[in-house]
Amino acid sequence: MKILKWLLGVVLLMVAVLLIGGMMLSPKFSVVRNTTIAAPPDKVYGLLADPRRWNEWSVWHQRDPAMQIAYSGAPSGAGAAWEWKSKSEGDGKMTFTAAEPGKRLGYDLYFPDFGTTSQGEFTLVADGAGTRVAWAMNGDMGSNPFFRWMALGADGMVGKDFEAGLKALKQLAEKP
């Protein structure tokens, strides 16, 4: 009986640490990755601004080719949107909110499982015959203390996907 009381005490202490510790953590996170692509900004922008082209380079599409996707809004640039449902990648919706062809593409990303929206953008800067590309995303995990723990690891988790996506984007954009 003493062991059960001790185990219950340990479990309650762990839950308290998770809850109280989570409330003390910042809900905000930021992820940024960069690459240089040997292609002009307009070519790179064309691969980013059309949601139908993401399946050619996005790591999420590569991990789940059976992902169900529905497109809406403009065909590309500001107003273009798509929603997806995936057993392995989760469900979500991305809407392009700002577009400056060859320079910048902003987006909102919504995950219904978490009830959170993140903002992100691609910035493109001409660099000689190529393009410097930065992919950034900022989010807020809200008041849920368990989601705040996830914010701590967002850079490591999402950053790997950004790196893989930029690598595939580079390979695609550099094809003649």
Side-chain angles (χ1 to χ4, degrees):
M1 195 63 157
K2 274 186 171 183
I3 292 175
L4 287 177
K5 285 182 181 179
W6 183 82
L7 284 174
L8 180 62
V10 169
V11 168
L12 290 174
L13 179 64
M14 290 174 62
V15 169
V17 167
L18 286 173
L19 286 172
I20 295 168
M23 290 307 296
M24 295 172 63
L25 295 172
S26 171
K28 298 183 185 301
F29 67 89
S30 181
V31 180
V32 180
R33 294 296 188 273
N34 302 281
T35 193
T36 300
I37 298 175
D42 288 336
K43 182 175 184 181
V44 176
Y45 179 84
L47 296 169
L48 297 172
D50 180 351
R52 290 161 186 84
R53 303 287 314 262
W54 278 53
N55 64 348
E56 298 175 50
W57 61 268
S58 166
V59 66
W60 302 298
H61 288 81
Q62 293 169 6
R63 283 198 300 241
D64 183 6
M67 183 182 290
Q68 297 174 339
I69 301 172
Y71 300 98
S72 60
S76 69
W82 72 100
E83 293 183 60
W84 62 91
K85 293 187 184 294
S86 169
K87 290 182 181 178
S88 66
E89 303 306 301
D91 301 344
K93 180 177 184 179
M94 181 180 278
T95 304
F96 293 144
T97 56
E100 296 176 53
K103 295 182 181 175
R104 179 177 173 269
L105 182 69
Y107 64 85
D108 283 346
L109 184 59
Y110 174 69
F111 292 105
D113 294 339
F114 297 107
T116 61
T117 301
S118 301
Q119 291 72 43
E121 74 174 357
F122 291 91
T123 54
L124 308 164
V125 177
D127 185 13
T131 305
R132 281 182 296 153
V133 180
W135 187 357
M137 184 172 71
N138 300 297
D140 188 325
M141 297 304 275
S143 60
N144 185 315
F146 297 110
F147 290 169
R148 288 180 175 207
W149 285 104
M150 290 178 61
L152 278 179
D155 184 73
M157 292 183 298
V158 178
K160 291 176 190 175
D161 290 348
F162 279 21
E163 290 166 9
L166 287 172
K167 181 179 177 183
L169 178 67
K170 177 180 175 68
Q171 290 171 343
L172 182 62
E174 290 179 351
K175 284 183 182 177

